[in-house]
Amino acid sequence: MLKYINYQILDDVTQQEALEKQVSVLINRNIRQNIDAFRHHIPSLVSLIDEHKMQQYSLFCTKDAELNIVDFATGRVFYESAVRQDVIAEVQDYYKQAAYFNLKGAKDNQALRHEPLPQQVDVLLVFGLGLGYHLNELVMNAHIRYLVVYEPNVDILLCSVQANNWKQLLEVAQSMGTHIFLQIGSDASAAPSELTELLGFDQTLDKVFVYRHQFHPMMDDVIFYLLQHSGDKDALTQIGHQFTEYKGAMDYVPERATNLLAQYQPQLYKTERTQALYDANMDALKKYYPDVYKSMQGYKIQSWQLVSDSNGNPNLYHQKRHALFHQDLSIESSHLVDYFIEHPFKDDVVLSQRTSYKFRNYLHFSKIAELKPLIEKILTQQSKLPEQVETLIIFGIGLGQHIELLSQQRQIKNLFLCEPNLDFFAASLWVTDWAAIFTQAETNGGRIYLNLGGDGSHYFYDLMAQFYQVGAYAIADTYMLSSYYNTAMQKAIGDLRAELKVVLAMGEYYDHARFGIAHTYHSLSSGQRFLKNANYEYGHHQALNLPVFIVGNGPSLDQCFDYLKVYRDQVIIISCGTALKALFNNGICPDFHAEIEQCRATYDWITQIKDLNYLSKINLLSVNGIHPDTAALFKATYLCFKDGEASSYIFDNGLRKNGFQVASLAYAYPTVTNLVMNFSIKLGWKCFYLFGVDLGFIDINRHHSQHSAYFKVDGSQAYNYQAHHGGGVPSPGNFREQVYTKAEFDVSRKLIEQAITKAGRKVEVYNCSDGVKINGTIPLLPDNILLEPIALQEKYQQLEELLSDAFYPALPALSDKIYDQMSPELYKTSMEQWFDLLADDATDMQSARDLISKQWSFMRSRAAAEKDITFFLFHGSSNFISAVLTKVAANITAENNGALDTFNQILAIWRRYLEQGKNLYLTNPLAFDTVSVNYLFRPSKQSGVKT
């Protein structure tokens, strides 16, 4: 199921390092003698070895002092732990049943044909180099005239050079008369051409043997094309044949899965006992998951068939690639569960939250500073999987036996099961006692969530919806288990973790909620205008047909200024955040500027432009929490509500009660571009062009436009971007194969895609940015833009008419009417009740968990209480603290008294947090945020690297 490096190395770092030092002597000797051997026998490989830098695979030393290959991007290993023994056994099996095809003779309908490998072999095609041990065995034990080895990845050759004795291999081959052709970097798709070339050497060649040492998406198609066309010389030497790679996620097979030699003949795994189990499971699905039951009725498998393997155990068989999923299901499931219980993985995205320097004076972040040493203590604790697990996410159901074992050994309250491959879940109904698992969960008051099908991209949305049912703080006490590797699923897991991290980092804590309410009150009272939710009143306006240029501050903006100037008068230009200074520096005045952040830092960034007259010509687009000082810089301010924020809920509800239905944005985070895209679609514009919306970079030192406030006059960075945001991760590019992005940008991309998909109508979005690929947009080089001309006066007239009709008039009289609904007395009473609830320290794990649960119930009761602002101010903060407390509570045991002390210390800090928060609000309920980032723009020697 899983072959990861941590399974094959010692837990003791010192002992592991000693083993590696011991083996390094052998590696150094191999490199020296093998390079000399290649220089003598295959000189063309020497420069390839010298010049190549490893990109994916490298060598490592196992705890048994053997060498193995690891994919350092994923931690997965190539071989089982007993590498040489594994390879020798494989070669011995191959001698008994070697796959072959004929270049000449009669055609037959056999998909596969095998015979014992003869002593004299004309041609042997080997698919996969690995460490090369199998080549030594083959060359020493059979007389092979032509040995052709296909290896797509040059990294693997370098691993083999370090591990294998190529000197001996090449010398034996020479003495045996074996001609070795190493096709390094080849995926074997040129095999027909190479067979033609071999026939050019020797027309008598006929029987060709095939040895598969690894599964590969392209090589597998080549192998079975050759085997299926035995005797058809024309097909076998058809140079123009196009092979098809197995790209689908459901067709993924690990490199060294079982049945490499394709010797297994499928046998169905169905008996009276398994039929009874299946029937019971279907009855359970019908009761608990009726939609899943319907989808499983008469289900037709796509790729993977449930079979009985050669040992009579249940297994999964890929019908096209002839791969078996397991070696031994029972043993693998048991090992997986045992290892997970001893080494559980818990996602600490909540606890590892970084405190931004600019928010250092916020109450929330000042308390995080107090919590930091206690949180660090939690993060360093390594413990077993507790007897009672609050939340567990299992990625990969497979045949489900590991889930059955875990359910028997641990009580799991919230179990999230994610399986993109419906073939697997359908097969598991014949193998695993799901009825017992569901019944046990119901008896114990637990919940099981089934997330089935798809490619895994929906996990984030499904899981977040489910988390909110049990309390979002449960994320902090969430364990994750990946039961098998699949490229698409691993990407989904990585995306999920990144998305959870961004969402939790952006949670609306006390200060954000408090200032958001104050700023929204000011927005209303000062006459800022809000967008109407229903656009049928103004949907006819000609201005909605104008193209919209959305200008982000990505590095590719620097190549676009000339295009923006050419089309300036024909389009609506909206600048996003820090792009404004770049436009100013290039003499371009946008129609709108947009900001999403509510703190006063936006004022500091914008006023790096010293021309207030320039700013006064521009309209501001934002959401209700925009800082009053920022809004005052612009000609007029046009707003929407932002979904999910306390201020939105209070004032949106209030306006609706007074007959005003204001538009609210669902995808307006985490970047300004998300706000603009969502706002513009909601307003009704139809055609968009993205400039500088890179959401990534090619060079980490050019992360934004050079003309923006991220860079100083001398070209130096305002702060060390890489130190704070990392070097980025690879992502498909818009105009190039690959660029680099970061977690926040990747979430931004996905939410732009969501906004386009859920627009409810057709929108055209042209991506003119040299950044990440955004699905739903059309890549378009700025050179290829074609627009119809429009008179400047006509454009402005159309725009003014649209703004007049699309936005409500100023409604200052409603600000007090809505805000005064909040009762200070009710707030005081609620806070006193809360203090009473938290008055006593926890005495054990159960009392700690009960306290967290009571706090969650209390917060839900405050959400339902009209005129009480308690929930709105503290919902996000209480979720965070509950997450931290939940994490600690999981470690409270009789043997770990320190965890109980830590829990009560955190509880004491939380009590002070609530007391200070209560008083700050009552003292000055409508105070504005005072964050400043002016330190970023001081001379370099003073600015440091704070953000």
Side-chain angles (χ1 to χ4, degrees):
M1 295 173 83
L2 285 175
K3 290 193 296 185
Y4 279 108
I5 188 170
N6 51 318
Y7 288 76
Q8 294 193 11
I9 61 175
L10 296 168
D11 288 338
D12 188 305
V13 176
T14 305
Q15 291 179 6
Q16 180 65 29
E17 287 176 349
L19 269 181
E20 291 167 358
K21 186 175 181 181
Q22 173 188 328
V23 173
S24 66
V25 177
L26 172 66
I27 292 173
N28 291 332
R29 187 193 70 195
N30 283 343
I31 292 172
R32 286 195 303 272
Q33 70 178 20
N34 287 339
I35 293 293
D36 289 341
F38 281 127
R39 190 172 284 115
H40 179 68
H41 295 281
I42 316 177
S44 60
L45 286 182
V46 177
S47 59
L48 178 64
I49 293 167
D50 285 343
E51 295 170 10
H52 182 73
K53 288 184 172 58
M54 287 188 169
Q55 298 174 330
Q56 182 179 3
Y57 297 102
S58 67
L59 208 63
F60 79 97
C61 175
T62 73
K63 56 189 174 186
D64 299 316
E66 288 211 53
L67 294 173
N68 202 342
I69 299 170
V70 62
D71 181 337
F72 48 74
T74 65
R76 293 172 56 250
V77 300
F78 200 79
Y79 294 100
E80 299 292 335
S81 54
V83 182
R84 284 186 183 274
Q85 179 182 327
D86 183 28
V87 173
I88 290 171
E90 177 182 284
V91 177
Q92 293 295 329
D93 282 344
Y94 182 72
Y95 291 151
K96 298 172 190 173
Q97 292 187 74
Y100 70 93
F101 63 92
N102 292 308
L103 288 169
K104 306 171 185 176
K107 303 174 187 177
D108 60 49
N109 295 322
Q110 285 181 272
L112 298 172
R113 61 196 60 71
H114 295 85
E115 70 175 29
L117 189 73
Q119 274 298 307
Q120 302 290 335
V121 176
D122 282 338
V123 183
L124 176 59
L125 305 181
V126 177
F127 294 84
L129 174 61
L131 289 177
Y133 298 159
H134 55 305
L135 302 183
N136 296 58
E137 293 293 318
L138 289 166
V139 168
M140 286 190 291
N141 292 286
H143 290 275
I144 305 168
R145 290 178 63 193
Y146 300 108
L147 177 63
V148 183
V149 183
Y150 294 102
E151 176 46 60
N153 197 306
V154 183
D155 285 358
I156 299 294
L157 171 65
L158 267 64
C159 292
S160 180
V161 169
Q162 297 173 73
N164 193 31
N165 190 339
W166 278 92
K167 179 177 184 293
Q168 179 192 61
L169 171 59
L170 294 172
E171 288 175 352
V172 171
Q174 185 178 46
S175 68
M176 300 282 281
T178 299
H179 300 279
I180 298 179
F181 301 93
L182 292 179
Q183 306 297 93
I184 305 300
S186 169
D187 61 8
S189 55
S193 173
E194 281 139 11
L195 287 174
T196 303
E197 190 176 341
L198 281 174
L199 285 169
F201 293 151
D202 189 340
Q203 290 288 335
T204 66
L205 296 178
D206 181 14
K207 188 171 286 186
V208 177
F209 286 87
V210 171
Y211 185 118
R212 177 169 62 178
H213 188 63
Q214 75 171 77
F215 290 93
H216 183 272
M218 181 63 84
M219 292 197 300
D220 281 3
D221 189 53
V222 174
I223 290 168
F224 292 105
Y225 175 84
L226 298 176
L227 294 175
Q228 287 165 1
H229 289 84
S230 179
D232 187 347
K233 181 181 174 183
D234 290 340
L236 293 170
T237 57
Q238 183 184 340
I239 295 174
H241 178 77
Q242 295 295 313
F243 292 100
T244 305
E245 186 176 8
Y246 287 98
K247 287 184 176 180
M250 301 309 103
D251 289 324
Y252 173 80
V253 173
E255 293 88 347
R256 295 277 300 168
T258 310
N259 198 40
L260 274 160
L261 304 178
Q263 297 166 343
Y264 169 76
Q265 294 298 317
Q267 302 291 325
L268 291 181
Y269 182 79
K270 288 185 181 178
T271 64
E272 287 185 13
R273 185 189 66 80
T274 60
Q275 182 67 55
L277 180 63
Y278 174 82
D279 292 341
N281 285 335
M282 287 296 284
D283 288 342
L285 286 178
K286 189 175 184 179
K287 176 182 178 182
Y288 296 107
Y289 306 94
D291 289 342
V292 177
Y293 168 77
K294 289 176 185 175
S295 69
M296 288 294 107
Q297 278 186 307
Y299 176 78
K300 305 289 186 190
I301 62 170
Q302 303 299 308
S303 300
W304 293 88
Q305 176 186 4
L306 176 64
V307 297
S308 175
D309 63 23
S310 56
N311 296 316
N313 296 321
N315 211 325
L316 291 158
Y317 177 73
H318 195 286
Q319 297 169 310
K320 293 180 180 177
R321 301 183 70 180
H322 305 277
L324 284 167
F325 197 75
H326 298 283
Q327 283 192 336
D328 188 305
L329 173 65
S330 296
I331 291 174
E332 290 171 18
S333 300
S334 179
H335 285 173
L336 176 68
V337 170
D338 290 346
Y339 188 88
F340 181 64
I341 287 174
E342 293 296 324
H343 306 83
F345 174 75
K346 183 183 284 189
D347 203 326
D348 291 310
V349 293
V350 178
L351 302 188
S352 55
Q353 183 187 93
R354 289 174 58 181
T355 303
S356 177
Y357 180 77
K358 68 183 178 185
F359 295 127
R360 63 196 180 281
N361 294 322
Y362 272 21
L363 174 62
H364 179 77
F365 291 106
S366 70
K367 292 306 172 190
I368 285 185
E370 287 185 50
L371 288 169
K372 189 176 180 181
L374 298 173
I375 290 174
E376 287 175 350
K377 186 191 298 183
I378 302 166
L379 290 173
T380 58
Q381 290 176 344
Q382 176 62 48
S383 58
K384 289 185 180 181
L385 187 71
E387 294 294 326
Q388 294 183 341
V389 178
E390 188 72 19
T391 307
L392 171 63
I393 305 175
I394 296 181
F395 299 99
I397 290 174
L399 288 176
Q401 199 166 100
H402 56 294
I403 299 168
E404 198 167 10
L405 290 172
L406 259 177
S407 298
Q408 291 165 0
Q409 297 181 49
R410 292 294 187 270
Q411 186 175 326
I412 304 166
K413 187 174 181 182
N414 298 291
L415 178 60
F416 297 87
L417 300 176
C418 304
E419 177 54 77
N421 193 332
L422 289 179
D423 283 359
F424 287 5
F425 182 72
S428 77
L429 296 173
W430 298 86
V431 177
T432 291
D433 192 349
W434 286 108
I437 293 172
F438 298 152
T439 302
Q440 179 186 341
E442 183 181 44
T443 303
N444 295 334
R447 296 183 183 187
I448 298 177
Y449 303 88
L450 294 177
N451 296 270
L452 305 174
D455 60 0
S457 60
H458 63 286
Y459 289 163
F460 170 66
Y461 306 102
D462 291 349
L463 290 172
M464 284 309 298
Q466 292 156 359
F467 268 126
Y468 282 125
Q469 292 183 38
V470 300
Y473 64 84
I475 296 172
D477 195 29
T478 295
Y479 292 90
M480 293 187 183
L481 169 61
S482 180
S483 64
Y484 67 82
Y485 182 87
N486 175 295
T487 47
M489 191 165 69
Q490 291 306 120
K491 182 180 185 306
I493 295 169
D495 290 349
L496 172 65
R497 294 191 68 238
E499 287 158 341
L500 288 176
K501 188 171 184 178
V502 169
V503 169
L504 290 166
M506 295 177 63
E508 190 182 33
Y509 305 122
Y510 170 82
D511 307 83
H512 189 277
R514 177 188 170 206
F515 294 131
I517 293 167
H519 294 177
T520 305
Y521 171 87
H522 178 271
S523 294
L524 203 54
S525 64
S526 63
Q528 294 169 16
R529 296 175 60 193
F530 288 82
L531 179 64
K532 296 174 182 176
N533 187 50
N535 63 10
Y536 60 83
E537 296 180 26
Y538 61 88
H540 61 281
H541 274 281
Q542 284 297 310
L544 294 175
N545 296 320
L546 290 169
V548 178
F549 281 15
I550 297 176
V551 182
N553 192 27
S556 72
L557 178 60
D558 290 344
Q559 282 73 56
C560 298
F561 294 118
D562 288 343
Y563 301 102
L564 296 177
K565 289 176 182 176
V566 167
Y567 295 111
R568 167 70 189 86
D569 296 337
Q570 298 170 247
V571 302
I572 305 293
I573 292 186
I574 307 176
S575 71
C576 300
T578 52
L580 186 60
K581 188 180 180 187
L583 293 178
F584 172 76
N585 287 344
N586 285 273
I588 301 167
C589 185
D591 299 289
F592 295 92
H593 175 64
E595 292 287 352
I596 185 66
E597 198 172 4
Q598 75 173 27
C599 71
R600 198 177 184 274
T602 54
Y603 178 88
D604 293 340
W605 282 97
I606 292 167
T607 52
Q608 293 308 299
I609 298 170
K610 304 304 179 185
D611 187 346
L612 295 182
N613 184 54
Y614 170 83
L615 298 175
S616 69
K617 299 174 184 176
I618 304 168
N619 293 308
L620 179 67
L621 293 181
S622 191
V623 287
N624 49 291
I626 188 67
H627 198 284
D629 292 353
T630 300
L633 295 169
F634 294 93
K635 176 181 177 181
T637 301
Y638 298 93
L639 304 174
C640 277
F641 283 115
K642 181 182 173 189
D643 282 4
E645 300 206 339
S647 54
S648 296
Y649 187 87
I650 291 170
F651 287 93
D652 189 21
N653 267 5
L655 285 169
R656 285 175 185 276
K657 288 177 182 178
N658 285 278
F660 299 97
Q661 308 281 324
V662 174
S664 189
L665 306 181
Y667 308 107
Y669 68 94
T671 69
V672 187
T673 308
N674 294 96
L675 161 70
V676 173
M677 198 76 233
N678 204 184
F679 202 129
S680 301
I681 290 173
K682 181 75 76 173
L683 179 59
W685 277 311
K686 303 165 186 173
C687 185
F688 304 92
Y689 294 79
L690 309 182
F691 296 87
V693 184
D694 296 1
L695 300 176
F697 38 82
I698 301 158
D699 177 358
I700 185 58
N701 294 313
R702 292 205 57 228
H703 42 79
H704 288 82
S705 166
Q706 297 282 116
H707 297 267
S708 70
Y710 275 94
F711 294 89
K712 300 179 182 178
V713 176
D714 61 3
S716 64
Q717 299 182 68
Y719 68 94
N720 189 328
Y721 189 85
Q722 184 172 7
H724 284 78
H725 303 289
V729 293
S731 182
N734 188 43
F735 294 134
R736 59 185 75 221
E737 186 175 343
Q738 178 178 286
V739 296
Y740 295 90
T741 188
K742 60 175 184 169
E744 182 185 359
F745 286 162
D746 203 42
V747 172
S748 173
R749 171 188 63 79
K750 288 182 180 179
L751 291 177
I752 289 175
E753 293 171 355
Q754 285 276 316
I756 295 170
T757 301
K758 298 190 177 183
R761 55 189 170 82
K762 184 181 178 182
V763 293
E764 293 180 26
V765 186
Y766 298 96
N767 191 354
C768 308
S769 314
D770 190 4
V772 301
K773 178 182 178 181
I774 302 173
N775 292 328
T777 69
I778 302 166
L780 181 70
L781 290 167
D783 276 340
N784 297 328
I785 295 173
L786 294 172
L787 297 177
E788 294 182 9
I790 182 174
L792 181 60
Q793 190 59 37
E794 185 181 350
K795 167 194 160 179
Y796 283 123
Q797 182 179 342
Q798 290 179 8
L799 185 57
E800 286 303 316
E801 290 174 358
L802 174 65
L803 294 177
S804 176
D805 287 352
F807 290 83
Y808 286 114
L811 302 168
L814 293 179
S815 56
D816 285 321
K817 185 177 181 181
I818 295 169
Y819 181 72
D820 287 347
Q821 290 294 306
M822 296 293 109
S823 165
E825 293 306 316
L826 188 54
Y827 172 58
K828 290 177 192 175
T829 301
S830 292
M831 293 304 293
E832 292 305 322
Q833 291 174 359
W834 202 346
F835 295 142
D836 290 342
L837 186 151
L838 301 177
D840 297 327
D841 284 354
T843 55
D844 54 25
M845 178 193 283
Q846 192 55 52
S847 65
R849 284 186 161 165
D850 287 347
L851 187 148
I852 297 165
S853 180
K854 287 176 184 175
Q855 176 165 268
W856 174 245
S857 297
F858 173 77
M859 287 305 292
R860 292 182 71 174
S861 72
R862 294 304 85 202
E866 290 189 17
K867 302 185 179 181
D868 188 354
I869 204 168
T870 307
F871 175 84
F872 301 111
L873 288 174
F874 286 104
H875 173 243
S877 296
S878 67
N879 251 334
F880 173 81
I881 292 293
S882 293
V884 176
L885 291 172
T886 299
K887 167 79 174 182
V888 182
N891 292 308
I892 297 173
T893 61
E895 300 79 28
N896 188 1
N897 289 327
L900 181 60
D901 292 339
T902 301
F903 184 95
N904 289 325
Q905 286 175 297
I906 293 170
L907 190 58
I909 294 172
W910 178 226
R911 293 186 191 112
R912 294 196 296 273
Y913 186 148
L914 291 173
E915 183 68 37
Q916 289 175 254
K918 169 196 163 188
N919 294 333
L920 280 169
Y921 178 75
L922 290 173
T923 302
N924 194 352
L926 292 175
F928 295 161
D929 168 86
T930 58
V931 160
S932 172
V933 292
N934 275 324
Y935 57 84
L936 290 174
F937 310 110
R938 297 171 191 154
S940 299
K941 64 180 181 180
Q942 298 177 35
S943 63
V945 293
K946 302 181 181 71
T947 62

